[in-house]
Amino acid sequence: MRSRLIEIYHRLYAAYGPQHWWPGETPFEVIIGAILTQQVSWTSVERAITALKQERLMSPDAIARAPQEHIAAFIRPTIYYNEKAKKLKAVVEFLQTRYGGDLTALFALPTARLRAELLAVHGIGEETADSIVLYAAGKPSFVVDAYTRRILTRLELITGNEPYRRIQKLFMDNLPPDVELYNEYHALLVRHGKERCLKRTPRCDACPLHGLCPFPRQYRR
Ligand code: SF4
């Protein structure tokens, strides 16, 4: 398994190059982005983040002070904007109540404890928590998303029905706990899932994982 995961990584990296993910200017912005991107494309998140910045709402204090409806108005492109505004208020309340608004204090926690604390916040599920741990805190927690699940299923490394943690463990048991590697690997899987390993009709011709992936043979049957 270890050699297959490393081979997949090297092939994707050779095909797509470095992805420079996550595109947030500050750790707080990464947290905001990780919540806003739930069930929506990154293009919509970018529009919402730009609006929040223009309204000077990109800080814990500003989010805490602003009424929920006010925040919701500026994140409308991300759909479920009322619920997401509630989630932004919840994460800021958690940060201020438990850590005095200090992200450095929060991120000083050991990785497992940090992840557990985040998961206890309203609106933060496993993928969002791991995105914050990896991309905002810079700690090694592999991010599993729908692209990861789809690609690994087609590669027959998983059945596709495994719980999140089992898929994450597959990576973390077989790869070194390297933040840069986890960062790039996740970003490459997203790129591959968006560009080639599409949900309905994957573009298997000239896929960089050709020869590793049994899916094209089955697809032709
Ligand atoms: S060969 Fe096809 S199914 Fe397999 S990873 Fe590539 S695009 Fe996806």
Side-chain angles (χ1 to χ4, degrees):
M1 181 59 75
R2 182 175 190 277
S3 60
R4 287 195 76 187
L5 289 176
I6 290 173
E7 172 81 13
I8 290 164
Y9 174 79
H10 284 307
R11 287 206 197 185
L12 293 177
Y13 191 88
Y16 301 116
Q19 298 302 297
H20 307 294
W21 197 253
W22 186 293
E25 288 180 4
T26 64
F28 185 70
E29 189 179 319
V30 173
I31 293 173
I32 298 296
I35 291 170
L36 294 183
T37 200
Q38 294 170 352
Q39 296 163 296
V40 72
S41 73
W42 186 254
T43 312
S44 303
V45 176
E46 284 179 322
R47 287 166 54 207
I49 284 179
T50 299
L52 289 175
K53 285 179 174 175
Q54 284 171 347
E55 290 302 310
R56 300 184 183 281
L57 284 170
M58 190 53 79
S59 73
D61 283 347
I63 296 274
R65 278 196 306 269
Q68 189 176 307
E69 312 74 55
H70 187 64
I71 298 168
F74 294 103
I75 61 171
R76 285 182 80 96
T78 66
I79 67 171
Y80 308 117
Y81 46 89
N82 287 321
E83 180 56 26
K84 286 181 180 173
K86 188 175 172 186
K87 291 177 182 181
L88 296 187
K89 298 283 281 183
V91 76
V92 163
E93 186 185 350
F94 156 77
L95 181 61
Q96 295 191 322
T97 307
R98 300 286 297 271
Y99 296 93
D102 182 4
L103 273 181
T104 308
L106 172 65
F107 292 164
L109 294 175
T111 305
R113 169 93 189 281
L114 170 58
R115 188 178 193 274
E117 289 265 308
L118 290 169
L119 283 171
V121 179
H122 169 74
I124 296 190
E126 296 199 281
E127 183 185 334
T128 305
D130 287 322
S131 296
I132 293 170
V133 173
L134 180 64
Y135 290 103
K139 290 173 182 282
S141 201
F142 202 93
V143 179
V144 174
D145 62 7
Y147 297 114
T148 315
R149 191 179 288 275
R150 182 198 308 157
I151 295 166
L152 262 61
T153 303
R154 288 174 175 169
L155 286 161
E156 296 188 352
L157 298 179
I158 60 173
T159 66
N161 296 318
E162 291 85 346
Y164 182 102
R165 283 288 259 176
R166 196 174 307 167
I167 300 172
Q168 183 186 49
K169 197 165 155 22
L170 188 77
F171 286 95
M172 295 183 65
D173 283 353
N174 288 286
L175 299 174
D178 180 333
V179 171
E180 293 304 317
L181 175 64
Y182 287 9
N183 176 326
E184 198 64 57
Y185 208 145
H186 171 247
L188 286 165
L189 287 169
V190 171
R191 173 86 180 265
H192 187 59
K194 281 183 177 172
E195 274 190 22
R196 195 165 292 273
C197 199
L198 307 175
K199 188 174 181 180
R200 289 188 186 278
T201 312
R203 299 168 55 216
C204 299
D205 291 347
C207 171
L209 303 182
H210 184 76
L212 288 177
C213 182
F215 188 83
R217 288 193 298 276
Q218 297 170 356
Y219 197 60
R220 278 198 293 268
R221 279 178 205 155

